[in-house]
Amino acid sequence: MITKKSPPAAIAKIAAEAEPAKLSDDELLEFLTVCNDFYRRGEPIISDAQYDFVFLAELKKRHPHHPYLETVEPEKAFAGKTVALPEMMLSTEKTYSKDGIEKWLQRIEKAAEELGLEFSRLIFRATPKLDGYAAYDDGLALYTRGDGRKGTDISRVFERGLIVGGDGKRGQGAGEIVVSQRYFNTHLADFFENARNFQASIIKEKELEEHALAAIQNHAAVFFPFAQLPDWLGSAQEILERFEAIIEAVPAKVDFDVDGVIFEVTDARIKKHMGATRHHHRWQIAYKSNVETAVVTVLRVTPQTSRSGRVNPVAELEPTKLSGAVISRATAHHYKMVRDMGIGAGTVIELTRSGLVIPKIERVLTPKTPQIPENCPSCGSELVWDSDYLYCPNTVQCPAQIENTIEHFFRTLRNIDGFGGKTIEKLHAAGIRSVYQIYQLDLERLQGLGFGDKTSQNLLDQLVRSRTDPLEDWRFLGAFGIYRMGLGNCERLLQHFPLLSIFELTLEDIVSIEGFAEKTGEAVITSLAKIKGDFMRIHALGFNLLRTPLRSEQAQAASPIAGKTIVFTGAMQHGSREDMTREAKRLGAKVGSSVSGKTDFLVTGSDVGAAKIAAAQEKGVRVISEAEYLEMLK
Ligand SMILES: NC(=O)c1ccc[n+]([C@@H]2O[C@H](COP(=O)([O-])OP(=O)(O)OC[C@H]3O[C@@H](n4cnc5c(N)ncnc54)[C@H](O)[C@@H]3O)[C@@H](O)[C@H]2O)c1
Ligand SMILES: [Zn+2]
């Protein structure tokens, strides 16, 4: 048996407990990083499903755009020089549902439209998603994927006798080092923990273990270029019509470990037009098959009162293992669903994991008498129905509403630790009812409430930090939990009106902002009036707020495109379409998706049809090339 390097005890403990919600951001990130390092080395600490659905999903839930999620998970370099890869080797966008594939196809359709190509005639390729060790063969050397741009020379594996799978020719670009499943099971399973462990061992500079050498000599382990993979070819329509059959047949075409199916469009023009993010090529997607479903019995449905007073049904389940984690809770959408579908003690449901930490109930197999509460679980008030939802009407005194409101405040600020559910519960029990009161606490008072000396000091330090660390004003506003005002809407509002003026806004003012409908506007005004007192008092404590630049100011800024409307078309060299859009917006421009009379500039990349240019010019739009555009920004 090859001895593994074991992970640090703290990491092993986290892996065993599988409770990501307990971890701080830093701990979660460190855990992911260590798991990734061990995984790339061929010694995974946790299963892929656990990595994806339990821990990565938690990071995604907390910070949807965290850099860790938007770049290629790096490999620690093996010995050898690192070199720039001839082509970027990225990760893949992943989906776990046919729906995800359908949405991806719609994006391809849009790209085809932009290029004037006929979508229905595009050919798609589906190949088995190899679960081996990614590498790049330029014909002279073989490189690891590294960070996606630079890899390490591992040509030694060819010197050790590894052959190329398929037609056997060198220089076919990206592929993976893989091993025959049959061979692994009969000849290697006693010596290597898993195929990944074996594949990584072939690459390491350390001398080859005898069974590994034999596997290479027997051509059971090979480098398989993706270009050589057996595939399925067809149209978008065929993908959708024959989805289940494709998903079943494609992985069976090889005798290697496979963890899904890769779909990609074959047309080079589309590929070039769509380009890539820092994480994946937009013209490619992986359908991963490691989604499991389980049939589970509901023990009981527990009501939970949220900060808005809405009472949410949480189904407690017989603990069940699913995709690498033990699931003991699932949520139903609302109480109407509980009532209509008959969810209560003994109900049998089908549960699917699709990247959510707490899965949602999608299907009821055996309905039972639904469990509908009559009173608020927190304050006992009689609940009331409002369309599909149950509410606790006791907005002023309900402990759950107060505690969750306070928790929401600190969670949204993000720059403060220590004010989690437990602490807030304790504070509430001691008579604290608002965020403002929390900011009035001093050391003595905290100690008097039963917090230890160290904890009390820490809580105070954190409260100071929350006011001195720079904080975006839209985040501060979002912390008050205004109805219909998520962080995105808060930011948009403050791009039009300064923070302290928002309490004077009229309905007209609000609906003048794009994306704010009349109904939202009314709700926002009512809700703002409700929080005004609290807001002013807390604001007066002095936070280090970063002011959101007003759109009107941006337009006056020195940028040559400020206030202008720009449309990008064609394939760009300077960066992805997304990057260029972001940059233009930062410089005060509006970016449109199609040319209209209001457009100032049409910026053209390559592959733009003459008709499109003529049509724009006819509307009086200035058409400039990407190079001219960049020149203008200088
Ligand atoms: N268990 C763990 O601790 C752990 C840690 C980190 C990552 N992971 C796993 O790694 C995966 C994410 O890593 P990733 O970004 O390297 O991989 P990925 O799953 O996103 O796949 C991207 C790679 O797929 C490969 N690929 C395989 N077959 C292909 C084909 N037919 N055509 C084109 N490309 C093909 C390419 O090498 C490409 O680099 C996740 O599935 C995750 O579960 C697990
Ligand atoms: Zn209540």
Side-chain angles (χ1 to χ4, degrees):
M1 191 67 142
I2 305 286
T3 47
K4 289 210 310 180
K5 201 173 148 207
S6 31
I11 297 289
K13 183 162 172 277
I14 296 174
E17 286 177 353
E19 288 199 80
K22 277 191 178 170
L23 305 176
S24 71
D25 283 5
D26 287 349
E27 285 166 341
L28 179 61
L29 212 58
E30 192 200 341
F31 180 73
L32 285 167
T33 310
V34 173
C35 283
N36 182 53
D37 285 348
F38 273 83
Y39 171 79
R40 305 285 159 192
R41 227 190 283 161
E43 301 165 7
I45 304 170
I46 54 176
S47 72
D48 288 3
Q50 216 172 356
Y51 181 84
D52 290 338
F53 292 122
V54 182
F55 293 97
L56 209 59
E58 174 74 16
L59 182 65
K60 198 174 279 181
K61 190 177 88 175
R62 292 189 202 171
H63 309 294
H65 299 292
H66 194 283
Y68 190 85
L69 301 167
E70 295 188 346
T71 47
V72 174
E73 291 159 0
E75 289 169 352
K76 282 253 171 73
F78 287 95
K81 61 175 181 4
T82 59
V83 257
L85 297 168
E87 288 173 76
M88 280 195 294
M89 282 182 80
L90 299 179
S91 180
T92 42
E93 181 180 1
K94 296 170 196 67
T95 182
Y96 303 89
S97 64
K98 184 178 171 187
D99 199 42
I101 296 290
E102 211 167 335
K103 293 207 174 100
W104 172 75
L105 286 170
Q106 283 163 4
R107 296 198 287 277
I108 307 267
E109 183 168 12
K110 181 153 179 278
E113 237 166 56
E114 284 165 2
L115 293 177
L117 299 172
E118 209 168 309
F119 177 63
S120 62
R121 295 175 64 170
L122 294 179
I123 303 289
F124 291 82
R125 180 174 188 239
T127 46
K129 181 170 188 302
L130 300 179
D131 191 11
Y133 204 99
Y136 192 96
D137 177 16
D138 69 0
L140 298 169
L142 188 73
Y143 307 102
T144 62
R145 185 178 85 174
D147 65 357
R149 287 160 204 279
K150 280 178 143 183
T152 307
D153 189 330
I154 49 161
S155 305
R156 58 178 167 271
V157 302
F158 285 135
E159 286 146 27
R160 287 167 171 174
L162 192 83
I163 61 159
V164 175
D167 67 1
K169 295 206 181 91
R170 289 285 310 268
Q172 299 190 65
E176 297 212 356
I177 294 171
V178 286
V179 60
S180 150
Q181 271 179 335
R182 227 172 304 133
Y183 187 93
F184 183 87
N185 292 336
T186 44
H187 297 95
L188 297 169
D190 289 343
F191 312 101
F192 294 91
E193 202 149 319
N194 50 48
R196 184 151 261 286
N197 186 234
F198 161 77
Q199 287 144 1
S201 84
I202 305 186
I203 299 160
K204 289 178 187 161
E205 69 270 36
K206 208 170 80 196
E207 207 180 317
L208 271 189
E209 193 266 358
E210 56 176 317
H211 302 92
L213 189 61
I216 292 179
Q217 285 164 350
N218 289 323
H219 297 175
V222 298
F223 170 73
F224 215 109
F226 298 136
Q228 285 293 312
L229 280 173
D231 54 20
W232 173 95
L233 294 170
S235 68
Q237 194 186 346
E238 283 169 308
I239 292 180
L240 294 176
E241 279 171 7
R242 300 177 27 208
F243 192 68
E244 286 70 27
I246 298 167
I247 292 308
E248 208 179 303
V250 170
K253 289 178 188 281
V254 290
D255 168 38
F256 306 123
D257 278 357
V258 167
D259 64 344
V261 175
I262 299 264
F263 287 92
E264 59 196 36
V265 67
T266 55
D267 190 295
R269 292 164 294 182
I270 302 239
K271 286 189 188 181
K272 193 165 164 225
H273 181 67
M274 294 183 80
T277 69
R278 277 181 299 160
H279 179 263
H280 60 261
H281 297 289
R282 293 196 184 85
W283 44 266
Q284 185 180 58
I285 194 166
Y287 174 85
K288 295 252 291 196
S289 40
N290 63 354
V291 178
E292 292 171 35
T293 58
V295 173
V296 193
T297 308
V298 174
L299 299 176
R300 72 189 80 83
V301 180
T302 314
Q304 274 181 6
T305 308
S306 71
R307 70 187 156 84
S308 67
R310 183 181 281 178
V311 179
N312 296 316
V314 177
E316 293 181 36
L317 311 171
E318 227 165 43
T320 306
K321 205 151 187 189
L322 184 61
S323 296
V326 177
I327 307 291
S328 54
R329 292 190 319 160
T331 55
H333 295 279
H334 41 57
Y335 264 107
K336 177 167 182 288
M337 173 175 169
V338 171
R339 191 179 61 191
D340 295 355
M341 292 171 81
I343 306 175
T347 302
V348 179
I349 59 171
E350 189 183 274
L351 218 53
T352 304
R353 282 205 97 177
S354 51
L356 293 167
V357 175
I358 299 179
K360 282 209 167 100
I361 300 174
E362 304 291 353
R363 232 154 74 88
V364 169
L365 302 178
T366 323
K368 287 272 152 81
T369 316
Q371 265 181 298
I372 312 282
E374 285 177 1
N375 302 93
C376 171
S378 181
C379 70
S381 302
E382 204 170 306
L383 300 179
V384 290
W385 283 97
D386 185 359
S387 73
D388 296 347
Y389 298 89
L390 269 180
Y391 282 89
C392 162
N394 181 11
T395 46
V396 183
Q397 284 164 330
C398 176
Q401 294 188 45
I402 296 172
E403 287 172 25
N404 288 326
T405 301
I406 298 177
E407 209 181 325
H408 175 81
F409 182 88
F410 290 116
R411 194 174 350 107
T412 310
L413 289 196
R414 275 225 317 222
N415 62 2
I416 177 163
D417 281 330
F419 287 87
K422 286 264 144 55
T423 306
I424 293 171
E425 209 181 303
K426 202 161 163 180
L427 288 169
H428 183 272
I432 300 291
R433 295 288 179 268
S434 70
V435 170
Y436 182 73
Q437 285 175 320
I438 290 181
Y439 276 103
Q440 302 304 307
L441 294 171
D442 57 21
L443 200 59
E444 249 167 71
R445 185 81 204 284
L446 277 166
Q447 286 163 338
L449 298 180
F451 291 99
D453 295 355
K454 227 175 126 193
T455 310
S456 301
Q457 187 57 52
N458 180 45
L459 290 176
L460 278 185
D461 291 346
Q462 289 293 333
L463 287 172
V464 171
R465 185 178 140 206
S466 74
R467 283 181 294 151
T468 47
D469 273 9
L471 178 69
E472 300 97 338
D473 58 359
W474 48 263
R475 186 179 288 288
F476 178 72
L477 179 61
F480 288 85
I482 304 161
Y483 185 58
R484 298 225 181 170
M485 291 290 281
L487 291 178
N489 268 357
C490 287
E491 185 175 12
R492 205 161 325 137
L493 181 69
L494 297 187
Q495 283 169 348
H496 290 84
F497 303 101
L499 181 63
L500 291 178
S501 76
I502 57 175
F503 297 99
E504 269 73 63
L505 296 181
T506 62
L507 183 58
E508 233 173 31
D509 291 333
I510 294 184
V511 295
S512 72
I513 305 172
E514 75 284 357
F516 282 79
E518 191 151 326
K519 224 169 146 194
T520 309
E522 279 164 7
V524 171
I525 288 183
T526 320
S527 201
L528 278 172
K530 254 193 230 153
I531 65 146
K532 186 176 176 188
D534 273 348
F535 178 92
M536 288 305 181
R537 252 181 303 159
I538 294 171
H539 183 266
L541 296 170
F543 283 78
N544 184 6
L545 297 183
L546 304 170
R547 195 169 67 86
T548 304
L550 291 171
R551 283 274 168 86
S552 52
E553 292 168 352
Q554 282 182 342
Q556 289 154 14
S559 140
I561 55 169
K564 301 274 193 264
T565 301
I566 298 179
V567 173
F568 293 105
T569 186
M572 301 289 170
Q573 303 295 319
H574 174 59
S576 72
R577 181 71 61 84
E578 241 166 56
D579 292 341
M580 293 188 69
T581 300
R582 209 172 300 129
E583 184 178 24
K585 282 190 179 162
R586 196 171 47 77
L587 293 171
K590 278 189 231 132
V591 179
S593 54
S594 61
V595 172
S596 75
K598 288 187 192 149
T599 310
D600 295 293
F601 295 107
L602 176 66
V603 182
T604 56
S606 49
D607 300 324
V608 180
K612 199 162 189 175
I613 293 179
Q617 281 166 338
E618 213 160 275
K619 290 191 180 124
V621 175
R622 221 178 115 196
V623 180
I624 55 175
S625 70
E626 183 186 0
E628 286 167 327
Y629 171 72
L630 294 174
E631 188 56 37
M632 183 166 85
L633 293 193
K634 266 188 200 160

